[in-house]
Amino acid sequence: MAESKEIMATGRRKTAIAVVKLVKGKGRVFVNGRKLQDYIGNMPAVEMMIYRPLVLTENQEKYDVRVKAVGGGIVAQAAAIRHGISRALLKANEEYKAVLKSEGLLTRDARVKERKKYGRKRARKRFQFSKR
């Protein structure tokens, strides 16, 4: 069983987790066994967001990307995929660090939904006050 060299990395955003594998190839992206366009539908901004680290490092034609994404919504998964691709590219070549870091692609976006507190409608919203 001869396997080609693949680079693995994990990306996260909100509750979405993406396990990314970079393999030498022609620039195709597969998410959960489907082509990227089939997975995200007609959302060109999200597609550009995913390809951003590959475009910045000029690797869009050098690697095939295979992703297993779970949790969150489509946009959160796309951000997790972008984070995972950035981390995998960094493993492939340390020289990409300056470019990726300046664009903020190596930083995990830690903003998550705040939990609901008891005695409140949501995390911070209160019930309407009635004096009489």
Side-chain angles (χ1 to χ4, degrees), residues 35 57 60 88 98:
K35 291 181 183 173
T57 57
Q60 59 265 40

Side-chain angles (χ1 to χ4, degrees), residues 13-95:
R13 169 74 171 102
K14 290 188 177 181
T15 57
I17 300 170
V19 178
V20 176
K21 292 179 186 176
L22 284 185
V23 185
K24 294 279 185 198
K26 300 175 183 170
R28 296 170 297 183
V29 178
F30 297 98
V31 182
N32 294 344
R34 294 158 55 188
K35 291 181 183 173
L36 179 65
Q37 289 76 13
D38 296 338
Y39 190 76
I40 63 170
N42 187 22
M43 299 169 87
V46 173
E47 191 175 333
M48 283 180 7
M49 180 172 74
I50 291 172
Y51 281 111
R52 187 83 178 129
L54 294 168
V55 171
L56 285 172
T57 57
E58 298 170 2
N59 285 312
Q60 59 265 40
E61 301 295 323
K62 295 179 186 172
Y63 291 107
D64 280 350
V65 182
R66 294 198 189 104
V67 182
K68 181 178 180 253
V70 292
I74 295 293
V75 176
Q77 285 184 2
I81 292 167
R82 180 180 69 177
H83 187 227
I85 291 172
S86 301
R87 291 171 91 177
L89 286 170
L90 191 64
K91 283 184 182 178
N93 189 347
E94 279 290 323
E95 294 173 6

